[in-house]
Amino acid sequence: MAAALLGTRQTPVVAIGSAFIDRVPPWLKDLAISLFGTHDKLALKTGILVVLLALAALGGILSVLRYWAGAAVVIVLAGVAVIAASTRPDAGQTGFAPSFVAGITALLILRLFATRLSGLVRYPEDGVSRRGFLQLSAGVTLGTIAVGALGRVIGGHRAAVAEARDALKLPLPPSLDPPAGVQAAGAGPWATPNEDFYRIDTALSVPLIMPSDWKLRIHGMVDREINLNFSDLLQRKVVHKWVTLTCVSNEVGGDLIGNALWSGVLLKDLLAEAGVAANADAIKSTSKDGFTAGTPLSALTDDRESMLAFAMNGQPLPVEHGFPVRIVVPGLYGYVSATKWLAEIEVTRFDQFEAYWTPRGWSEKGPIKLSSRIDVPRSKASTGQVTVAGVAWDQHVGVSKVEVRVDGGQWQEAELAADASIDTWRQWHWTWDAPRGNHVLQVRAFDAQGNPQIEAQAPPAPDGSTGLHSVDIKVG
Ligand SMILES: Nc1nc2c(c(=O)[nH]1)N[C@H]1C(S)=C(S)[C@@H](COP(=O)(O)O)O[C@H]1N2
Ligand SMILES: [Mo]
């Protein structure tokens, strides 16, 4: 159940089984395959469960004699599962958790049984203890079956979607390599790997959509309604484009920003095909789970290549990032544009609707604000030549200059890495001859027209934070 809720495949049995498969000598693997054929995995799981039952029985017996001896068996067992789960290549950040939860649950249940059983061992004829024990056994059994079944329903659907995702053949970009020269010395990766891409949404459990079930309806103030399924979408002309997404909730210096190579179909083409009414000024996009975003039509029909994206860095969208289809609009914060698990697009007018975040205190329109961030160093440096590096962004406007200053002194121009386009962030670096002591580094950027970044501090609400990123560095 915990694995299903957390969306990880690492149940204790799967984790230990997978770790075991990776470690068995080849002859044993071959023997298992020759004995059990394609049922070798079932055989392994059965074997694990048999060993588990035997150890559980041992733990139970020990716990009646001495609770902690039984508990030790459980702790070792759960510990092995936690280690196995957290060292799997696809462990992620939550892989260890189901085994951990299993260990805690087992300890609690062992405690309940141990108290009931020790009474029964002392007074075998006592009907009350006997009934208590039987009731507990029945309760634990039923509870286990119920929770397990629920976990299987949730997890099974997720697994089916993951499998369908793995099996997709998508029109992919010719190369996943970043354009030449965009990486600045010392800065973090210019292209954000999917696993490290920030995730922000209101979905407590992610919508699980089979590509074969995905449908999009484009309607409202249009001449012709368009209905698309996933294979219709893939038949269309596909573009690949690097775009930096940013969340309006990003604090100054924050990490709710990521840069990826998106593949998809231009919204401009679809909207032209639908025939948009002259007095329409917005689209309201709705996700499978009911989130809505309101986006100015102008940002979808101009030359910025806003798209219905189905791939991210050459892979089908990860489920958390909107599988199978989301919107990507360069230059606008995610909350007004980047609808994941897209289900519907209504062409309309801003005076006709309110999108999800508007009545919750966020601005109706959300162009991204010019910002910059220091990535290295963040807290310490040694005296002498220190590389100061980071990113600056003003999507769909562009960054023309970045400056750094130390302890409020003169602004010094940093060196800019190459610009992939005005729709991505731009890296910069600057070499600092760092003297011993505590210092404050600050950065500011200028947009393509030479306007400086807003220095006044403002919080994210209602339309994006402003202020300069400062870091305190201890040099020594
Ligand atoms: N369906 C849905 N799409 C959504 C959201 C959401 O809550 N639900 N959040 C938006 C916000 S606020 C942001 S910043 C981006 C984040 O996209 P990411 O999680 O892929 O980084 O998705 C946008 N799309
Ligand atoms: Mo966001």
PDB file of all heavy atoms in Angstrom, residues 58-75 110:
ATOM      1  N   LEU A  58       9.833 -17.574  13.793  1.00  0.00           N
ATOM      2  CA  LEU A  58      10.947 -17.527  14.742  1.00  0.00           C
ATOM      3  C   LEU A  58      10.840 -16.274  15.614  1.00  0.00           C
ATOM      4  O   LEU A  58      10.937 -16.336  16.845  1.00  0.00           O
ATOM      5  CB  LEU A  58      12.279 -17.546  13.971  1.00  0.00           C
ATOM      6  CG  LEU A  58      13.535 -17.386  14.822  1.00  0.00           C
ATOM      7  CD1 LEU A  58      13.746 -18.640  15.675  1.00  0.00           C
ATOM      8  CD2 LEU A  58      14.763 -17.117  13.957  1.00  0.00           C
ATOM      9  N   GLY A  59      10.595 -15.128  14.944  1.00  0.00           N
ATOM     10  CA  GLY A  59      10.456 -13.870  15.675  1.00  0.00           C
ATOM     11  C   GLY A  59       9.319 -13.943  16.673  1.00  0.00           C
ATOM     12  O   GLY A  59       9.423 -13.462  17.810  1.00  0.00           O
ATOM     13  N   GLY A  60       8.217 -14.556  16.263  1.00  0.00           N
ATOM     14  CA  GLY A  60       7.051 -14.671  17.141  1.00  0.00           C
ATOM     15  C   GLY A  60       7.365 -15.488  18.382  1.00  0.00           C
ATOM     16  O   GLY A  60       7.038 -15.088  19.506  1.00  0.00           O
ATOM     17  N   ILE A  61       8.024 -16.622  18.151  1.00  0.00           N
ATOM     18  CA  ILE A  61       8.350 -17.501  19.290  1.00  0.00           C
ATOM     19  C   ILE A  61       9.309 -16.794  20.248  1.00  0.00           C
ATOM     20  O   ILE A  61       9.102 -16.762  21.468  1.00  0.00           O
ATOM     21  CB  ILE A  61       8.967 -18.829  18.780  1.00  0.00           C
ATOM     22  CG1 ILE A  61       7.891 -19.624  18.018  1.00  0.00           C
ATOM     23  CG2 ILE A  61       9.515 -19.649  19.943  1.00  0.00           C
ATOM     24  CD1 ILE A  61       8.429 -20.771  17.191  1.00  0.00           C
ATOM     25  N   LEU A  62      10.343 -16.170  19.654  1.00  0.00           N
ATOM     26  CA  LEU A  62      11.310 -15.458  20.491  1.00  0.00           C
ATOM     27  C   LEU A  62      10.645 -14.339  21.285  1.00  0.00           C
ATOM     28  O   LEU A  62      10.956 -14.110  22.450  1.00  0.00           O
ATOM     29  CB  LEU A  62      12.436 -14.881  19.619  1.00  0.00           C
ATOM     30  CG  LEU A  62      13.432 -15.888  19.050  1.00  0.00           C
ATOM     31  CD1 LEU A  62      14.418 -15.187  18.128  1.00  0.00           C
ATOM     32  CD2 LEU A  62      14.172 -16.598  20.195  1.00  0.00           C
ATOM     33  N   SER A  63       9.692 -13.658  20.643  1.00  0.00           N
ATOM     34  CA  SER A  63       9.111 -12.470  21.278  1.00  0.00           C
ATOM     35  C   SER A  63       8.280 -12.841  22.509  1.00  0.00           C
ATOM     36  O   SER A  63       8.098 -12.017  23.398  1.00  0.00           O
ATOM     37  CB  SER A  63       8.263 -11.688  20.285  1.00  0.00           C
ATOM     38  OG  SER A  63       7.070 -12.389  20.021  1.00  0.00           O
ATOM     39  N   VAL A  64       7.759 -14.079  22.533  1.00  0.00           N
ATOM     40  CA  VAL A  64       6.998 -14.484  23.717  1.00  0.00           C
ATOM     41  C   VAL A  64       7.961 -14.675  24.895  1.00  0.00           C
ATOM     42  O   VAL A  64       7.663 -14.326  26.033  1.00  0.00           O
ATOM     43  CB  VAL A  64       6.221 -15.783  23.439  1.00  0.00           C
ATOM     44  CG1 VAL A  64       5.481 -16.233  24.687  1.00  0.00           C
ATOM     45  CG2 VAL A  64       5.248 -15.558  22.292  1.00  0.00           C
ATOM     46  N   LEU A  65       9.157 -15.205  24.563  1.00  0.00           N
ATOM     47  CA  LEU A  65      10.160 -15.399  25.612  1.00  0.00           C
ATOM     48  C   LEU A  65      10.732 -14.045  26.028  1.00  0.00           C
ATOM     49  O   LEU A  65      10.868 -13.744  27.209  1.00  0.00           O
ATOM     50  CB  LEU A  65      11.287 -16.307  25.095  1.00  0.00           C
ATOM     51  CG  LEU A  65      10.797 -17.670  24.573  1.00  0.00           C
ATOM     52  CD1 LEU A  65      11.935 -18.437  23.901  1.00  0.00           C
ATOM     53  CD2 LEU A  65      10.185 -18.488  25.724  1.00  0.00           C
ATOM     54  N   ARG A  66      11.095 -13.262  25.053  1.00  0.00           N
ATOM     55  CA  ARG A  66      11.727 -11.977  25.294  1.00  0.00           C
ATOM     56  C   ARG A  66      11.384 -11.091  24.106  1.00  0.00           C
ATOM     57  O   ARG A  66      11.835 -11.341  22.993  1.00  0.00           O
ATOM     58  CB  ARG A  66      13.250 -12.179  25.343  1.00  0.00           C
ATOM     59  CG  ARG A  66      13.920 -11.445  26.445  1.00  0.00           C
ATOM     60  CD  ARG A  66      15.345 -11.968  26.563  1.00  0.00           C
ATOM     61  NE  ARG A  66      15.449 -12.858  27.725  1.00  0.00           N
ATOM     62  CZ  ARG A  66      15.741 -12.409  28.944  1.00  0.00           C
ATOM     63  NH1 ARG A  66      15.989 -11.147  29.150  1.00  0.00           N
ATOM     64  NH2 ARG A  66      15.817 -13.245  29.960  1.00  0.00           N
ATOM     65  N   TYR A  67      10.551 -10.055  24.337  1.00  0.00           N
ATOM     66  CA  TYR A  67      10.057  -9.275  23.206  1.00  0.00           C
ATOM     67  C   TYR A  67      11.190  -8.773  22.322  1.00  0.00           C
ATOM     68  O   TYR A  67      11.133  -8.826  21.105  1.00  0.00           O
ATOM     69  CB  TYR A  67       9.208  -8.095  23.680  1.00  0.00           C
ATOM     70  CG  TYR A  67       8.802  -7.190  22.531  1.00  0.00           C
ATOM     71  CD1 TYR A  67       7.853  -7.622  21.599  1.00  0.00           C
ATOM     72  CD2 TYR A  67       9.389  -5.944  22.343  1.00  0.00           C
ATOM     73  CE1 TYR A  67       7.501  -6.836  20.514  1.00  0.00           C
ATOM     74  CE2 TYR A  67       9.047  -5.142  21.256  1.00  0.00           C
ATOM     75  CZ  TYR A  67       8.095  -5.595  20.347  1.00  0.00           C
ATOM     76  OH  TYR A  67       7.757  -4.814  19.288  1.00  0.00           O
ATOM     77  N   TRP A  68      12.254  -8.293  22.964  1.00  0.00           N
ATOM     78  CA  TRP A  68      13.310  -7.672  22.169  1.00  0.00           C
ATOM     79  C   TRP A  68      14.055  -8.643  21.274  1.00  0.00           C
ATOM     80  O   TRP A  68      14.556  -8.257  20.222  1.00  0.00           O
ATOM     81  CB  TRP A  68      14.259  -6.861  23.047  1.00  0.00           C
ATOM     82  CG  TRP A  68      13.624  -5.534  23.299  1.00  0.00           C
ATOM     83  CD1 TRP A  68      13.073  -5.090  24.457  1.00  0.00           C
ATOM     84  CD2 TRP A  68      13.389  -4.526  22.311  1.00  0.00           C
ATOM     85  NE1 TRP A  68      12.497  -3.855  24.275  1.00  0.00           N
ATOM     86  CE2 TRP A  68      12.687  -3.475  22.957  1.00  0.00           C
ATOM     87  CE3 TRP A  68      13.683  -4.387  20.970  1.00  0.00           C
ATOM     88  CZ2 TRP A  68      12.282  -2.322  22.307  1.00  0.00           C
ATOM     89  CZ3 TRP A  68      13.284  -3.236  20.309  1.00  0.00           C
ATOM     90  CH2 TRP A  68      12.600  -2.222  20.973  1.00  0.00           C
ATOM     91  N   ALA A  69      14.091  -9.933  21.675  1.00  0.00           N
ATOM     92  CA  ALA A  69      14.731 -10.915  20.799  1.00  0.00           C
ATOM     93  C   ALA A  69      13.917 -11.073  19.515  1.00  0.00           C
ATOM     94  O   ALA A  69      14.468 -11.109  18.408  1.00  0.00           O
ATOM     95  CB  ALA A  69      14.860 -12.250  21.524  1.00  0.00           C
ATOM     96  N   GLY A  70      12.598 -11.132  19.670  1.00  0.00           N
ATOM     97  CA  GLY A  70      11.741 -11.210  18.482  1.00  0.00           C
ATOM     98  C   GLY A  70      11.840  -9.941  17.655  1.00  0.00           C
ATOM     99  O   GLY A  70      11.922  -9.980  16.418  1.00  0.00           O
ATOM    100  N   ALA A  71      11.821  -8.800  18.380  1.00  0.00           N
ATOM    101  CA  ALA A  71      11.894  -7.517  17.674  1.00  0.00           C
ATOM    102  C   ALA A  71      13.191  -7.413  16.866  1.00  0.00           C
ATOM    103  O   ALA A  71      13.205  -6.869  15.762  1.00  0.00           O
ATOM    104  CB  ALA A  71      11.792  -6.363  18.679  1.00  0.00           C
ATOM    105  N   ALA A  72      14.271  -7.988  17.420  1.00  0.00           N
ATOM    106  CA  ALA A  72      15.557  -7.927  16.713  1.00  0.00           C
ATOM    107  C   ALA A  72      15.462  -8.630  15.362  1.00  0.00           C
ATOM    108  O   ALA A  72      15.993  -8.147  14.360  1.00  0.00           O
ATOM    109  CB  ALA A  72      16.660  -8.553  17.569  1.00  0.00           C
ATOM    110  N   VAL A  73      14.749  -9.769  15.334  1.00  0.00           N
ATOM    111  CA  VAL A  73      14.586 -10.487  14.060  1.00  0.00           C
ATOM    112  C   VAL A  73      13.870  -9.582  13.045  1.00  0.00           C
ATOM    113  O   VAL A  73      14.286  -9.440  11.887  1.00  0.00           O
ATOM    114  CB  VAL A  73      13.777 -11.794  14.264  1.00  0.00           C
ATOM    115  CG1 VAL A  73      13.464 -12.449  12.920  1.00  0.00           C
ATOM    116  CG2 VAL A  73      14.547 -12.753  15.165  1.00  0.00           C
ATOM    117  N   VAL A  74      12.798  -8.924  13.516  1.00  0.00           N
ATOM    118  CA  VAL A  74      12.032  -8.042  12.628  1.00  0.00           C
ATOM    119  C   VAL A  74      12.901  -6.880  12.140  1.00  0.00           C
ATOM    120  O   VAL A  74      12.897  -6.523  10.950  1.00  0.00           O
ATOM    121  CB  VAL A  74      10.783  -7.496  13.361  1.00  0.00           C
ATOM    122  CG1 VAL A  74      10.101  -6.418  12.520  1.00  0.00           C
ATOM    123  CG2 VAL A  74       9.822  -8.627  13.656  1.00  0.00           C
ATOM    124  N   ILE A  75      13.665  -6.307  13.071  1.00  0.00           N
ATOM    125  CA  ILE A  75      14.479  -5.141  12.703  1.00  0.00           C
ATOM    126  C   ILE A  75      15.540  -5.527  11.670  1.00  0.00           C
ATOM    127  O   ILE A  75      15.744  -4.820  10.679  1.00  0.00           O
ATOM    128  CB  ILE A  75      15.119  -4.503  13.960  1.00  0.00           C
ATOM    129  CG1 ILE A  75      14.019  -3.834  14.795  1.00  0.00           C
ATOM    130  CG2 ILE A  75      16.186  -3.486  13.578  1.00  0.00           C
ATOM    131  CD1 ILE A  75      14.457  -3.384  16.180  1.00  0.00           C
ATOM    132  N   LEU A 110       3.818  -7.392  16.186  1.00  0.00           N
ATOM    133  CA  LEU A 110       4.545  -8.351  17.027  1.00  0.00           C
ATOM    134  C   LEU A 110       4.302  -8.050  18.504  1.00  0.00           C
ATOM    135  O   LEU A 110       4.070  -8.940  19.313  1.00  0.00           O
ATOM    136  CB  LEU A 110       6.040  -8.277  16.705  1.00  0.00           C
ATOM    137  CG  LEU A 110       6.915  -9.310  17.411  1.00  0.00           C
ATOM    138  CD1 LEU A 110       6.625 -10.700  16.853  1.00  0.00           C
ATOM    139  CD2 LEU A 110       8.397  -8.987  17.235  1.00  0.00           C
TER     140      LEU A 110
END
